Structures are given as C-alpha cells and as structure tokens.
Amino acid sequence: MESAVNKLEAMFQKAESDLNYIEQKLDFEIRKSRPDGSPLQEDPVRLLEQLSAAKLRYKSLSTQLEKIAAEQKASIESIQNTLADTMTMVEQLHQQTELDCTEEQEQYQNTNAG
C-alpha cells in the first residue's frame, strides 16, 4: 500500500514538473514570437477590476482632500482672526505707551523747569 502511495506521489510530482516545464516553454515561445518585445496584453476583465478599484481609491482620496481643504480653510481663518486681534492689542498698547511716555516727559520737563 505504501509503495502505491509513493508511486502516486511521484506521478503527481512528475506531472507538476511537466506542467512547470510546459509553462516556461510557452512563456519563452510567446516572448520570442512578439515583435520588438512588446508587452503581453492584459486580461480585459482584470483591467476593469483594477480600474474599478482605482476609481474607488480616487473617490476616497477626493473625499479626504475635501475634508483637509475645509480644515485648512478653517485653520487659516482662525489664524487670521487671531492675528487681527493681536494687531489690535499691539496698536492699543502702542497708543497707551505713547500716552504714558508723553505724560512722563511733560512731568520731567515741569520738574526741571521749576
């Protein structure tokens, strides 16, 4: 019984080896027969599946891009508002500082004049 199993296993291995050889031989013959080494034509069904997958990926990326653009716009608006508020505070501080400096100069002049 064991020898029959071994014989059957050897036959399967030989068949697999023969199939590999035939595949390699066919591949070689096909490549040799193509002019200028032009590429093999793709399977149309496989190409359609790849195209469908690419469309889904593109749609997903487009959605992500729209979200990122909206978030970027909101961030820019926030930064602009913060910058405007900061500039207003700086102007107010500058005006207040000028008033303080002017008052100090007047007091200094009044003290030295008298």
Side-chain angles (χ1 to χ4, degrees), residues 27-80:
D27 185 54
F28 174 77
E29 290 298 323
I30 290 171
R31 289 181 191 274
K32 189 171 91 172
S33 67
R34 284 183 296 156
D36 304 333
S38 60
L40 292 172
Q41 281 191 333
E42 293 279 337
D43 178 20
V45 174
R46 185 169 173 242
L47 287 175
L48 288 174
E49 289 171 352
Q50 290 175 346
L51 179 61
S52 182
K55 285 180 182 178
L56 287 173
R57 181 77 175 135
Y58 174 78
K59 188 174 183 178
S60 171
L61 289 173
S62 294
T63 302
Q64 289 176 5
L65 182 62
E66 288 172 3
K67 288 179 183 177
I68 290 170
E71 291 173 3
Q72 186 179 28
K73 184 178 177 182
S75 294
I76 289 172
E77 288 174 359
S78 174
I79 290 169
Q80 288 174 337

Side-chain angles (χ1 to χ4, degrees), residues 55-107:
K55 285 180 182 178
L56 287 173
R57 181 77 175 135
Y58 174 78
K59 188 174 183 178
S60 171
L61 289 173
S62 294
T63 302
Q64 289 176 5
L65 182 62
E66 288 172 3
K67 288 179 183 177
I68 290 170
E71 291 173 3
Q72 186 179 28
K73 184 178 177 182
S75 294
I76 289 172
E77 288 174 359
S78 174
I79 290 169
Q80 288 174 337
N81 291 338
T82 302
L83 184 59
D85 292 344
T86 302
M87 291 301 294
T88 302
M89 283 191 282
V90 167
E91 287 175 11
Q92 290 172 350
L93 286 171
H94 183 66
Q95 289 172 354
Q96 185 178 2
T97 304
E98 283 182 358
L99 284 176
D100 290 345
C101 285
T102 304
E103 289 175 3
E104 286 180 19
Q105 284 177 348
E106 286 176 6
Q107 287 177 354

